[in-house]
Amino acid sequence: MKQHKSTLGILFVAAIITLMLAACAKPYHFYVKYDLTESAVDLKGQAVFLKILDERDSVDFLSQKARNEFDLWDGRFALYHTPKKPKGKVETYPLTGLIEAVMKMRLENMGITVMEKKMDDTPLFELTLNKFFLDLNDRTWVSDFSYTVKLTLDNQKTSREIVSGQAERTKIMGRGAGEILVGDIFTESINKLNIEKLFKNAGIE
């Protein structure tokens, strides 16, 4: 009888500790690693006004199963470029802000100036997000990412390109593999865009 009471006491204490730990848990960001590749193309002297539109059918980035793994996600994305996730305080973005920050990096890496305001003689570089989704299918992370870029000056001649990608990664432990997968497909899809071709097709020299 005493042993039974002792066991119940241990279980009760364990339950209390678990509840306390859950109450103390803090929301976390979704970390996205982006690898910027050096560009052999120099478009120095060009300038654009960068605009990001979100036209996804669903505003949910995580499926219900994926959300169960990221139960305390605060809805913000933390961007990093180092081999490992940074520690301490980091700058975070909403989804459109994340894409804007990365595309600005790509443009400036090619010598293109990203203007703060739209001027009459400044081409419009418009990126429309079509899909960005992370799902957990059994023990496999699946991510879809697609967007459309339109480059135009005074709506006279428009150059357009659609970029899409899908990738899978086996879930080993925790949510880390999901973040790695998103970083991989994000990097691949952003770097896949042929910016030089966009300028040529739009007749912007």
Side-chain angles (χ1 to χ4, degrees):
M1 186 66 178
K2 288 183 178 180
Q3 184 177 1
H4 178 65
K5 289 183 177 180
S6 176
T7 302
L8 288 176
I10 292 173
L11 291 175
F12 178 75
V13 172
I16 293 297
I17 293 175
T18 300
L19 290 173
M20 290 177 64
L21 290 174
C24 294
K26 295 181 179 180
Y28 46 74
H29 317 305
F30 192 103
Y31 279 80
V32 178
K33 184 176 186 290
Y34 172 65
D35 294 317
L36 177 66
T37 56
E38 288 300 322
S39 175
V41 179
D42 186 1
L43 293 177
K44 188 175 181 180
Q46 297 288 0
V48 298
F49 176 72
L50 176 61
K51 183 178 181 180
I52 309 296
L53 300 176
D54 187 353
E55 294 188 0
R56 291 172 295 161
D57 292 335
S58 172
V59 296
D60 293 326
F61 166 64
L62 300 174
S63 69
Q64 183 58 57
K65 289 184 178 180
R67 194 178 298 116
N68 292 336
E69 296 291 325
F70 292 87
D71 55 332
L72 294 179
W73 179 45
D74 64 358
R76 306 281 293 183
F77 295 85
L79 178 65
Y80 71 103
H81 319 284
T82 53
K84 294 183 179 181
K85 288 198 297 187
K87 296 181 180 180
K89 190 175 182 180
V90 294
E91 185 176 3
T92 62
Y93 307 85
L95 180 53
T96 53
L98 173 75
I99 295 173
E100 181 179 5
V102 169
M103 189 54 69
K104 183 178 180 181
M105 289 175 57
R106 266 220 69 192
L107 291 166
E108 292 179 341
N109 186 51
M110 300 177 70
I112 302 169
T113 300
V114 179
M115 306 293 290
E116 295 293 329
K117 294 182 179 180
K118 176 73 172 70
M119 308 296 288
D120 291 340
D121 59 347
T122 303
L124 174 64
F125 190 100
E126 185 177 272
L127 186 152
T128 300
L129 180 61
N130 302 319
K131 185 183 294 184
F132 195 30
F133 192 68
L134 179 63
D135 189 16
L136 182 58
N137 185 4
D138 292 329
R139 296 194 59 79
T140 302
W141 290 107
V142 180
S143 183
D144 279 299
F145 182 37
S146 66
Y147 62 92
T148 302
V149 169
K150 181 176 69 174
L151 180 65
T152 183
L153 179 60
D154 298 331
N155 291 318
Q156 294 181 358
K157 189 173 182 181
T158 300
S159 177
R160 189 187 310 267
E161 183 173 345
I162 299 174
V163 179
S164 62
Q166 184 183 71
E168 297 182 357
R169 190 181 185 95
T170 302
K171 178 179 181 291
I172 302 174
M173 289 183 65
R175 59 183 183 269
E179 289 181 321
I180 292 173
L181 176 65
V182 170
D184 288 345
I185 193 173
F186 191 73
T187 293
E188 179 184 345
S189 299
I190 292 294
N191 290 344
K192 188 189 297 185
L193 178 67
N194 192 331
I195 296 175
E196 182 184 20
K197 184 178 178 181
L198 279 171
F199 273 85
K200 287 183 178 180
N201 290 346
I204 302 174
E205 302 294 339

